[in-house]
Amino acid sequence: MDKITSFTINHLELLPGIYVSRKDLAGDAVITTFDLRMTRPNFEPVINTGELHTMEHLGATFLRNHKTFGSKILYFGPMGCRTGFYLLLSGDYSSRDIISLVSELYEFIRDFEGEVPGAAARDCGNYLDMNLPMAKYMAGKFLDEVLYGIDDKHLIYPEN
Ligand SMILES: [Zn+2]
């Protein structure tokens, strides 16, 4: 079987950032898949499942309620390697187009107080696996170290 595109990125050179992972056509519509890479692969510890899961619940809630982008959100969820998230948008976008959206998303998580949406047995398959304080910490770290003042090294995939 062919190696799929996302396995051809050189993960040893990949920095945290916002990247266009791929673009697909569904009928005539373009779907842009973004790689929201929060930690540097194979150099930094990966994100633990509790905070990853908390960020998923908060992130999906924020994105689907967003005034401008809400109707374009197709999917938001964690990578299996636990170094970040995939975000799928309906439309043809560059990584620069969503810097403000992604910054708002992580500010929402960093500043969130209260009950995590959907963190109940009826609503989720593993509702006890949550860690809001660490989710807030990771979101703040990503904002401070990567998103505020982001440049091309964190917006365009490295050459292979
Ligand atoms: Zn859940």
Side-chain angles (χ1 to χ4, degrees):
M1 285 191 278
D2 293 337
K3 199 170 176 179
I4 65 172
T5 316
S6 61
F7 296 152
T8 66
I9 303 301
N10 184 352
H11 285 76
L12 295 171
E13 299 292 329
L14 182 59
L15 300 174
I18 304 170
Y19 304 96
V20 172
S21 173
R22 56 184 294 132
K23 293 185 185 185
D24 294 284
L25 280 176
D28 295 332
V30 177
I31 295 166
T32 307
T33 298
F34 290 101
D35 170 335
L36 308 182
R37 191 70 61 156
M38 292 188 64
T39 65
R40 187 171 171 197
N42 305 310
F43 282 83
E44 283 184 90
V46 299
I47 306 163
N48 287 317
T49 60
E51 41 269 39
L52 197 72
H53 188 196
T54 304
M55 288 191 277
E56 183 209 17
H57 277 232
L58 291 174
T61 301
F62 172 82
L63 290 165
R64 293 195 184 278
N65 283 288
H66 194 272
K67 280 195 194 77
T68 317
F69 283 97
S71 62
K72 303 183 185 310
I73 306 297
L74 298 178
Y75 175 76
F76 172 74
M79 296 173 181
C81 60
R82 294 189 276 129
T83 64
F85 290 88
Y86 284 116
L87 169 64
L88 274 70
L89 287 189
S90 171
D92 189 346
Y93 295 99
S94 73
S95 50
R96 285 203 172 272
D97 292 334
I98 64 158
I99 294 171
S100 63
L101 175 69
V102 175
S103 300
E104 279 177 60
L105 160 65
Y106 283 96
E107 284 166 351
F108 176 80
I109 296 169
R110 178 195 65 192
D111 300 337
F112 188 84
E113 299 289 344
E115 294 289 308
V116 175
R122 184 183 174 281
D123 303 335
C124 169
N126 191 9
Y127 76 103
L128 293 175
D129 190 24
M130 290 281 168
N131 189 338
L132 180 60
M134 272 307 292
K136 290 161 63 78
Y137 170 83
M138 293 296 295
K141 185 172 185 288
F142 189 43
L143 284 159
D144 291 338
E145 294 181 3
V146 181
L147 296 177
Y148 295 149
I150 193 166
D151 59 11
D152 280 353
K153 276 200 315 199
H154 305 264
L155 288 165
I156 297 165
Y157 275 141
E159 303 281 336
N160 276 302

